[in-house]
Amino acid sequence: MSDPNVPNDPNAGVPPQPGAVPPQQPYAQPAGGPQQPYAAAGAPLDAAQDKQWAAFAHLGGILWFLPSLIIWLVFKDRGRLTNQEAKEALNWQITWIICWVASQVIGIIIGSFTYGVGYLLFGLLIPWALYIVNLVFSILGFVRVNGGGTYRYPVNFRFIK
């Protein structure tokens, strides 16, 4: 008769081969039971955090559209103000990128007919002006939301509803 407490291992007592993978041990629960995931990861934002992330969504526009996109994707379901303001900032960044690309394309086309002179205006000066406008609007949005209000960009296509 076999003992039920002793596993039936055909290799019991045989020394392991060099380079052999040791047998896997069954998973044992850690002392105190299973670990719970971090509870605050999906928790709603309090009012101060909601205002902070909403303001950072606007300020992130200085660095292109990625900060606004990341903030919107991570916090859209956790705070009403953050959802609203991050969408507004992301829509502005998409609008700004479209205008910037259009100015580059127009600059290349006009520059090809004017021996490069047209590119100076449409390919260099207008994109810099657009960046300054983006910088000013992003800072205005940050200041307005950080002060407790909301911000709507003066010219903005609403791609994300």
Side-chain angles (χ1 to χ4, degrees):
M1 203 145 202
S2 66
D3 185 10
N5 294 332
V6 177
N8 193 2
D9 185 6
N11 295 327
V14 177
Q17 297 291 328
V21 177
Q24 297 292 322
Q25 296 295 321
Y27 176 75
Q29 290 287 341
Q35 296 293 323
Q36 296 296 323
Y38 183 62
L45 300 172
D46 62 26
Q49 291 173 332
D50 198 17
K51 184 174 80 168
Q52 173 190 13
W53 285 111
F56 283 159
H58 287 288
L59 190 62
I62 294 171
L63 301 174
W64 214 35
F65 76 95
L66 284 178
S68 301
L69 176 64
I70 292 169
I71 289 171
W72 182 63
L73 289 174
V74 171
F75 296 108
K76 68 180 177 182
D77 297 328
R78 296 178 56 193
R80 183 196 59 76
L81 182 65
T82 301
N83 182 29
Q84 172 187 328
E85 296 301 317
K87 273 195 293 191
E88 181 72 12
L90 185 56
N91 281 324
W92 164 251
Q93 291 305 315
I94 294 169
T95 302
W96 178 79
I97 289 170
I98 289 171
C99 292
W100 187 84
V101 168
S103 73
Q104 293 294 310
V105 170
I106 291 170
I108 290 170
I109 292 170
I110 292 176
S112 67
F113 292 115
T114 60
Y115 301 105
V117 176
Y119 185 75
L120 291 175
L121 176 64
F122 286 98
L124 297 176
L125 294 178
I126 289 179
W128 272 105
L130 286 172
Y131 182 74
I132 298 300
V133 167
N134 180 41
L135 187 70
V136 168
F137 284 171
S138 296
I139 292 172
L140 282 174
F142 173 76
V143 169
R144 177 87 46 94
V145 172
N146 206 26
T150 60
Y151 185 69
R152 300 281 282 185
Y153 290 90
V155 177
N156 200 358
F157 297 112
R158 306 291 188 278
F159 295 104
I160 301 170
K161 302 282 183 200

